[in-house]
Amino acid sequence: MAATLIDGKAFAAKVRGQVAEHVTRLKEENGITPGLAVVLVGEDPASQVYVRSKGKQTVEVGMNSVEHKLDAETSEADLLAVVEQLNNDPAIHGILVQLPLPGHLDEDLIINSIAPEKDVDGFHISNVGLLGTGQKSMVPCTPLGCLMMLRDHHGSLSGMDAVVIGRSNIVGKPMAQLLLGDSCTVTIAHSRTKDLPDVVRRADIVVAAVGRPEMVPGDWIKEGATVIDVGINRIERDGKNKLVGDVDFASAAERAGAITPVPGGVGPMTIACLLANTVTACCRANNLPEPEGLTA
Ligand code: NDP
């Protein structure tokens, strides 16, 4: 393997350390404890695992964690009432409604009912607009984590050619906006892109956010490029259950300059950035200086 491994697990631990330090300062100097509320509707097993993990890490960095577990039949009105109560609670600085929601609930309506300044997932339409116009916003956690790792590795990203594969609202589009904000020349590829291998071969930075196991082979990667693999795909290999990314790690690592592994790359950064967003939201709510290096 020629590429440098970008260790998301270690980086996430560093981010959590910075968050914890800032939380301690907020408590000691301002008497404020940041609070994160997570709302889970239904019993989706993957969502339950995420919510448990978020709650545990929130407490570990010294913040208050509040969980609202509602049954799968919860009405839209009841869910909106829970969000409204959290919007009005001064002890809560971040609100996250775990997606996906059961089919009878309108996700856009619910997300847009969260107070934008408490929307630590960065999915509220106001935050999407603020990010798109280069203004201070809450930035979606997964793309923020990717940006932090890229900045850490390269310093400045200015002038680099970046290709983001995937145009979802939660990863691809905000990722592209962030790279543009850091003065990359950005191409967004998707399922209708012509000659995807050629598009990817031009990139100094490749961010793959597709959800197709190992679809990007090493020979698409420009020599020395940086590869950020967002994909999380569960496959059966040699009779075992395995997690793989959207990039064929072994062949890509032969050509890339740096690459994130799956697992242990982007994944751990997502929750670390949720904690970072919560402490940022708390500082903004109290007109206090924001922690450095934890926002876009
Ligand atoms: P979506 O399914 O919402 O979006 C996938 C995107 O990939 C779409 O824009 C789609 O294009 C594009 N696509 C599909 N097939 C191809 C193809 N053959 N060639 C090029 N583009 C293609 O997924 P998400 O953005 O939500 O997630 C992407 C991956 O990232 C998943 O594996 C998910 O599990 C993972 N993920 C990981 C997170 C983490 O914390 N590490 C957090 C969030 C997601 P089109 O729009 O044309 O259909």
Side-chain angles (χ1 to χ4, degrees):
M1 171 174 150
T4 302
L5 196 73
I6 300 180
D7 183 346
K9 211 171 153 191
F11 201 95
K14 188 173 130 196
V15 170
R16 287 196 303 274
Q18 288 170 279
V19 170
E21 269 176 35
H22 211 84
V23 169
T24 303
R25 221 170 308 141
L26 280 169
K27 285 182 183 174
E28 289 178 358
E29 293 172 15
N30 308 96
I32 300 166
T33 304
L36 172 65
V38 177
V39 182
L40 174 65
V41 186
E43 269 148 35
D44 177 66
S47 294
Q48 285 178 325
V49 172
Y50 289 138
V51 167
R52 242 196 323 274
S53 190
K54 285 167 187 170
K56 186 167 166 273
Q57 293 190 34
T58 303
V59 171
E60 279 169 3
V61 296
M63 303 200 285
N64 288 330
S65 166
V66 174
E67 284 177 22
H68 286 262
K69 292 188 174 158
L70 309 176
D71 73 46
E73 313 305 321
T74 300
S75 70
E76 209 155 79
D78 286 349
L79 179 53
L80 286 168
V82 170
V83 172
E84 186 59 16
Q85 181 229 315
L86 295 169
N87 282 343
N88 294 325
D89 184 343
I92 296 298
H93 304 95
I95 303 170
L96 179 150
V97 176
Q98 184 66 43
L99 302 179
L101 289 170
H104 67 285
L105 299 169
D106 179 342
E107 279 188 2
D108 287 338
L109 180 86
I110 303 298
I111 296 304
N112 290 324
S113 73
I114 299 172
E117 65 278 10
K118 295 190 179 188
D119 166 40
V120 280
D121 251 345
F123 297 159
H124 189 290
I125 194 72
S126 297
N127 283 315
V128 175
L130 289 167
L131 178 62
T133 49
Q135 300 179 68
K136 196 190 259 192
S137 65
M138 278 288 140
V139 177
C141 304
T142 300
L144 178 59
C146 297
L147 183 76
M148 282 185 187
M149 290 194 286
L150 284 166
R151 283 180 177 170
D152 183 67
H153 185 72
H154 286 285
S156 169
L157 308 181
S158 180
M160 296 179 87
D161 281 317
V163 170
V164 179
I165 318 175
R167 55 174 162 180
S168 72
N169 290 336
I170 63 167
V171 189
K173 282 184 200 149
M175 186 74 246
Q177 296 283 8
L178 289 171
L179 291 166
L180 192 60
D182 271 27
S183 299
C184 291
T185 302
V186 184
T187 304
I188 308 177
H190 46 78
S191 66
R192 309 293 174 88
T193 297
K194 280 191 231 155
D195 298 327
L196 184 60
D198 282 351
V199 171
V200 176
R201 277 188 196 111
R202 292 201 295 266
D204 304 312
I205 294 170
V206 180
V207 180
V210 181
R212 291 168 71 101
E214 298 171 332
M215 73 160 273
V216 179
D219 68 358
W220 292 12
I221 303 298
K222 178 161 114 178
E223 204 71 51
T226 300
V227 178
I228 305 290
D229 191 351
V230 182
I232 303 176
N233 307 290
R234 213 167 271 286
I235 61 161
E236 280 282 321
R237 182 169 291 156
D238 307 327
K240 286 188 192 134
N241 223 309
K242 212 173 170 276
L243 274 191
V244 298
D246 291 340
V247 176
D248 176 39
F249 182 84
S251 62
E254 291 301 322
R255 293 171 66 91
I259 187 166
T260 59
V262 177
V266 176
M269 284 299 287
T270 297
I271 298 186
C273 288
L274 173 70
L275 305 175
N277 276 349
T278 305
V279 83
T280 297
C282 177
C283 293
R284 288 181 188 169
N286 290 285
N287 290 317
L288 292 167
E290 293 174 24
E292 267 173 45
L294 296 182
T295 47

